[in-house]
Coordinates of all heavy atoms in Angstrom, one line a residue:
G179 N 1.3 -1.4 4.4 CA 2.0 -1.2 3.2 C 2.6 0.3 3.3 O 2.3 1.0 4.2
T180 N 3.4 0.6 2.3 CA 3.8 2.0 2.1 C 3.6 2.4 0.7 O 3.5 1.6 -0.2 CB 5.3 2.2 2.5 OG1 6.1 1.5 1.5 CG2 5.6 1.7 3.9
E181 N 3.4 3.7 0.5 CA 3.1 4.2 -0.8 C 3.9 5.5 -1.1 O 4.0 6.4 -0.2 CB 1.6 4.5 -1.0 CG 1.3 5.2 -2.4 CD -0.1 5.0 -2.8 OE1 -0.7 4.0 -2.4 OE2 -0.6 5.8 -3.6
T182 N 4.5 5.6 -2.3 CA 5.0 6.8 -2.8 C 4.2 7.2 -4.0 O 3.8 8.4 -4.1 CB 6.5 6.6 -3.3 OG1 7.3 6.1 -2.2 CG2 7.1 7.9 -3.8
D183 N 3.8 6.3 -4.9 CA 2.9 6.6 -6.0 C 2.2 5.2 -6.3 O 2.7 4.5 -7.2 CB 3.6 7.2 -7.2 CG 2.6 7.7 -8.2 OD1 1.4 7.2 -8.3 OD2 2.9 8.6 -9.0
G184 N 1.1 4.9 -5.7 CA 0.4 3.7 -6.0 C 0.7 2.5 -5.3 O 0.1 1.4 -5.5
S185 N 1.7 2.5 -4.4 CA 2.2 1.2 -3.8 C 1.3 0.6 -2.7 O 1.6 -0.5 -2.3 CB 3.6 1.4 -3.3 OG 4.5 1.6 -4.4
I186 N 0.3 1.3 -2.2 CA -0.7 0.8 -1.4 C -2.0 0.5 -2.2 O -2.5 -0.7 -2.2 CB -1.1 1.7 -0.2 CG1 0.0 1.7 0.8 CG2 -2.4 1.2 0.5 CD1 -0.2 2.7 1.9
V187 N -2.5 1.5 -2.9 CA -3.8 1.3 -3.6 C -3.7 0.3 -4.8 O -4.7 -0.4 -5.0 CB -4.4 2.7 -4.0 CG1 -4.7 3.5 -2.8 CG2 -3.5 3.4 -5.0
S188 N -2.6 0.3 -5.5 CA -2.5 -0.6 -6.6 C -2.5 -2.1 -6.2 O -3.4 -2.9 -6.7 CB -1.3 -0.3 -7.5 OG -1.5 1.0 -8.2
P189 N -1.6 -2.5 -5.3 CA -1.7 -3.9 -4.9 C -3.0 -4.3 -4.1 O -3.5 -5.4 -4.2 CB -0.5 -4.1 -4.0 CG -0.1 -2.8 -3.6 CD -0.5 -1.8 -4.7
A190 N -3.6 -3.3 -3.4 CA -4.8 -3.5 -2.7 C -5.9 -3.8 -3.8 O -6.7 -4.8 -3.7 CB -5.2 -2.4 -1.9
A191 N -6.0 -3.0 -4.8 CA -7.0 -3.2 -5.8 C -6.8 -4.5 -6.6 O -7.7 -5.2 -6.9 CB -7.0 -2.0 -6.8
M192 N -5.5 -4.8 -6.9 CA -5.2 -6.0 -7.7 C -5.4 -7.3 -6.9 O -5.4 -8.4 -7.5 CB -3.8 -5.9 -8.3 CG -3.8 -4.8 -9.4 SD -2.1 -4.9 -10.2 CE -2.4 -3.6 -11.4
N193 N -5.5 -7.2 -5.6 CA -5.7 -8.4 -4.8 C -7.0 -8.4 -4.1 O -7.3 -9.2 -3.2 CB -4.5 -8.5 -3.7 CG -3.2 -8.8 -4.4 OD1 -3.0 -10.0 -4.7 ND2 -2.3 -7.8 -4.6
G194 N -7.9 -7.5 -4.5 CA -9.3 -7.5 -4.0 C -9.4 -7.2 -2.5 O -10.3 -7.8 -1.8
V195 N -8.6 -6.2 -2.0 CA -8.7 -5.8 -0.6 C -8.8 -4.3 -0.6 O -8.7 -3.6 -1.6 CB -7.6 -6.3 0.2 CG1 -7.5 -7.8 0.2 CG2 -6.2 -5.7 -0.2
V196 N -9.0 -3.8 0.6 CA -9.1 -2.4 0.9 C -7.7 -1.8 1.2 O -7.0 -2.5 2.0 CB -10.1 -2.1 2.1 CG1 -10.1 -0.6 2.4 CG2 -11.5 -2.6 1.7
G197 N -7.4 -0.7 0.7 CA -6.1 0.0 1.0 C -6.4 1.4 1.3 O -7.1 2.1 0.5
I198 N -5.8 2.0 2.3 CA -5.9 3.4 2.6 C -4.5 4.0 2.5 O -3.6 3.6 3.2 CB -6.5 3.7 4.0 CG1 -7.9 3.1 4.2 CG2 -6.5 5.2 4.3 CD1 -8.4 3.3 5.6
K199 N -4.4 5.0 1.5 CA -3.2 5.8 1.4 C -3.5 7.1 2.1 O -4.3 7.9 1.6 CB -2.9 6.0 -0.1 CG -1.7 6.8 -0.4 CD -2.1 8.3 -0.6 CE -0.8 9.2 -0.6 NZ -1.2 10.6 -0.6
P200 N -3.0 7.3 3.3 CA -3.4 8.5 4.0 C -2.7 9.8 3.5 O -1.8 9.8 2.7 CB -2.8 8.2 5.4 CG -2.5 6.8 5.4 CD -2.1 6.4 4.0
T201 N -3.2 10.9 4.1 CA -2.5 12.2 3.8 C -1.0 12.1 4.3 O -0.7 11.5 5.3 CB -3.2 13.3 4.7 OG1 -4.6 13.3 4.4 CG2 -2.5 14.6 4.4
V202 N -0.2 12.6 3.4 CA 1.3 12.6 3.8 C 1.4 13.5 5.1 O 1.0 14.7 5.0 CB 2.1 13.2 2.7 CG1 3.6 13.4 3.2 CG2 2.1 12.2 1.5
G203 N 1.8 13.0 6.2 CA 1.9 13.7 7.4 C 1.0 13.1 8.5 O 1.1 13.5 9.6
L204 N 0.0 12.3 8.1 CA -0.9 11.7 9.1 C -0.2 10.6 9.9 O -0.4 10.4 11.1 CB -2.1 11.1 8.5 CG -3.2 10.5 9.4 CD1 -3.8 11.6 10.3 CD2 -4.2 9.8 8.7
I205 N 0.8 9.9 9.2 CA 1.4 8.7 9.8 C 2.9 8.9 9.8 O 3.5 9.3 8.7 CB 1.1 7.4 9.1 CG1 -0.4 7.1 9.3 CG2 1.9 6.2 9.6 CD1 -0.9 5.9 8.5
S206 N 3.6 8.6 10.9 CA 5.1 8.8 10.9 C 5.8 7.9 10.0 O 5.5 6.8 9.8 CB 5.6 8.6 12.4 OG 7.0 8.6 12.4
R207 N 6.9 8.5 9.3 CA 7.8 7.7 8.5 C 9.0 7.3 9.2 O 9.9 6.7 8.6 CB 8.1 8.5 7.2 CG 7.0 8.6 6.2 CD 6.1 9.7 6.4 NE 6.8 11.0 6.5 CZ 7.1 11.8 5.5 NH1 6.7 11.4 4.3 NH2 7.7 13.0 5.6
R208 N 9.1 7.7 10.5 CA 10.3 7.4 11.2 C 10.6 5.9 11.2 O 9.8 5.1 11.6 CB 10.2 7.9 12.7 CG 11.3 7.4 13.6 CD 12.6 8.0 13.3 NE 13.7 7.6 14.3 CZ 15.0 7.6 14.1 NH1 15.4 8.2 12.9 NH2 15.8 7.2 15.0
G209 N 11.8 5.5 10.8 CA 12.2 4.1 10.8 C 11.7 3.3 9.5 O 11.6 2.1 9.5
I210 N 11.3 4.0 8.5 CA 10.8 3.4 7.2 C 11.9 3.8 6.2 O 12.2 4.9 6.0 CB 9.4 3.9 6.8 CG1 8.4 3.5 7.9 CG2 9.0 3.3 5.5 CD1 7.0 4.0 7.6
I211 N 12.3 2.8 5.4 CA 13.3 3.0 4.4 C 12.6 3.9 3.3 O 11.6 3.6 2.8 CB 13.8 1.7 3.7 CG1 14.5 0.9 4.8 CG2 14.7 2.0 2.6 CD1 14.9 -0.5 4.3
P212 N 13.2 5.1 3.0 CA 12.4 6.1 2.3 C 12.6 6.0 0.8 O 13.6 5.4 0.3 CB 13.0 7.4 2.8 CG 14.5 7.0 3.0 CD 14.5 5.6 3.5
V213 N 11.6 6.6 0.1 CA 11.8 7.0 -1.3 C 11.7 8.5 -1.4 O 12.7 9.1 -1.9 CB 10.7 6.3 -2.2 CG1 10.8 6.9 -3.7 CG2 10.9 4.8 -2.3
S214 N 10.6 9.1 -0.9 CA 10.4 10.5 -1.1 C 9.7 11.1 0.1 O 8.6 10.7 0.5 CB 9.5 10.7 -2.4 OG 8.9 12.0 -2.3
H215 N 10.4 12.1 0.7 CA 9.7 12.7 1.9 C 8.5 13.5 1.5 O 7.7 13.8 2.3 CB 10.7 13.6 2.7 CG 11.3 14.7 2.0 ND1 12.6 14.7 1.4 CD2 10.8 16.0 1.7 CE1 12.8 15.9 0.8 NE2 11.7 16.7 1.0
S216 N 8.4 13.9 0.2 CA 7.2 14.6 -0.2 C 6.0 13.7 -0.4 O 4.9 14.2 -0.3 CB 7.5 15.3 -1.6 OG 8.5 16.3 -1.5
Q217 N 6.2 12.5 -0.7 CA 5.1 11.6 -1.1 C 5.0 10.3 -0.3 O 3.9 9.7 -0.3 CB 5.2 11.2 -2.6 CG 5.1 12.4 -3.5 CD 5.1 12.1 -5.0 OE1 5.3 13.0 -5.8 NE2 4.9 10.9 -5.4
D218 N 6.0 9.9 0.5 CA 5.9 8.7 1.2 C 4.9 8.7 2.3 O 4.8 9.7 3.1 CB 7.3 8.4 1.8 CG 8.3 7.9 0.9 OD1 8.0 7.6 -0.3 OD2 9.5 7.7 1.3
T219 N 4.2 7.6 2.5 CA 3.4 7.4 3.7 C 3.1 5.9 3.8 O 3.1 5.1 2.9 CB 2.0 8.1 3.6 OG1 1.2 7.8 4.8 CG2 1.2 7.6 2.4
A220 N 3.0 5.4 5.1 CA 2.5 4.1 5.4 C 1.0 4.1 5.4 O 0.4 5.2 5.5 CB 3.1 3.6 6.7
G221 N 0.4 2.9 5.3 CA -1.1 2.9 5.4 C -1.5 1.4 5.6 O -0.8 0.5 5.2
P222 N -2.8 1.2 6.0 CA -3.3 -0.1 6.3 C -3.9 -0.8 5.1 O -4.4 -0.1 4.2 CB -4.4 0.1 7.3 CG -4.9 1.5 7.0 CD -3.7 2.3 6.5
M223 N -3.8 -2.1 5.0 CA -4.4 -2.9 4.0 C -5.2 -4.0 4.7 O -4.7 -4.6 5.7 CB -3.4 -3.5 3.1 CG -2.5 -2.4 2.4 SD -1.1 -3.0 1.5 CE -1.9 -3.5 0.0
A224 N -6.5 -4.2 4.4 CA -7.3 -5.1 5.1 C -8.4 -5.6 4.2 O -8.6 -5.1 3.1 CB -7.9 -4.4 6.3
R225 N -9.2 -6.6 4.7 CA -10.2 -7.2 3.8 C -11.5 -6.4 3.8 O -12.4 -6.6 3.0 CB -10.5 -8.6 4.3 CG -9.5 -9.6 3.8 CD -9.8 -11.0 4.2 NE -9.6 -11.2 5.6 CZ -8.5 -11.5 6.2 NH1 -7.4 -11.6 5.5 NH2 -8.4 -11.6 7.5
S226 N -11.6 -5.4 4.7 CA -12.8 -4.6 4.8 C -12.5 -3.1 5.1 O -11.4 -2.9 5.7 CB -13.8 -5.1 5.8 OG -13.3 -4.9 7.1
V227 N -13.4 -2.2 4.8 CA -13.2 -0.8 5.2 C -13.1 -0.7 6.7 O -12.3 0.1 7.3 CB -14.3 0.0 4.6 CG1 -14.2 1.5 5.1 CG2 -14.3 0.0 3.1
A228 N -14.0 -1.4 7.4 CA -14.0 -1.4 8.9 C -12.6 -1.7 9.5 O -12.1 -1.1 10.4 CB -15.1 -2.2 9.5
D229 N -12.1 -2.8 9.0 CA -10.8 -3.3 9.5 C -9.7 -2.3 9.2 O -8.8 -2.0 10.0 CB -10.4 -4.6 8.9 CG -11.2 -5.8 9.4 OD1 -12.1 -5.5 10.3 OD2 -11.1 -6.9 9.0
A230 N -9.7 -1.7 8.0 CA -8.6 -0.7 7.6 C -8.8 0.5 8.4 O -7.8 1.1 8.8 CB -8.7 -0.4 6.1
A231 N -10.0 0.9 8.7 CA -10.3 2.1 9.5 C -9.7 2.0 10.9 O -9.2 2.9 11.5 CB -11.8 2.5 9.5
L232 N -9.9 0.8 11.5 CA -9.5 0.5 12.9 C -8.0 0.6 12.9 O -7.4 1.3 13.8 CB -10.0 -0.8 13.3 CG -9.8 -1.2 14.8 CD1 -10.8 -2.2 15.3 CD2 -8.4 -1.7 15.1
V233 N -7.3 0.0 12.0 CA -5.8 0.0 12.0 C -5.3 1.4 11.7 O -4.3 1.8 12.3 CB -5.3 -1.0 10.9 CG1 -3.7 -0.9 10.9 CG2 -5.7 -2.4 11.3

Side-chain angles (χ1 to χ4, degrees):
T180 66
E181 175 157 334
T182 303
D183 190 334
S185 291
I186 290 174
V187 295
S188 291
M192 290 186 177
N193 290 283
V195 299
V196 175
I198 300 178
K199 179 266 172 192
T201 304
V202 173
L204 182 67
I205 294 177
S206 173
R207 286 87 54 90
R208 170 67 179 162
I210 300 177
I211 299 174
V213 173
S214 160
H215 64 258
S216 295
Q217 296 183 197
D218 285 353
T219 180
M223 303 170 80
R225 282 180 291 276
S226 70
V227 174
D229 288 358
L232 191 154
V233 176

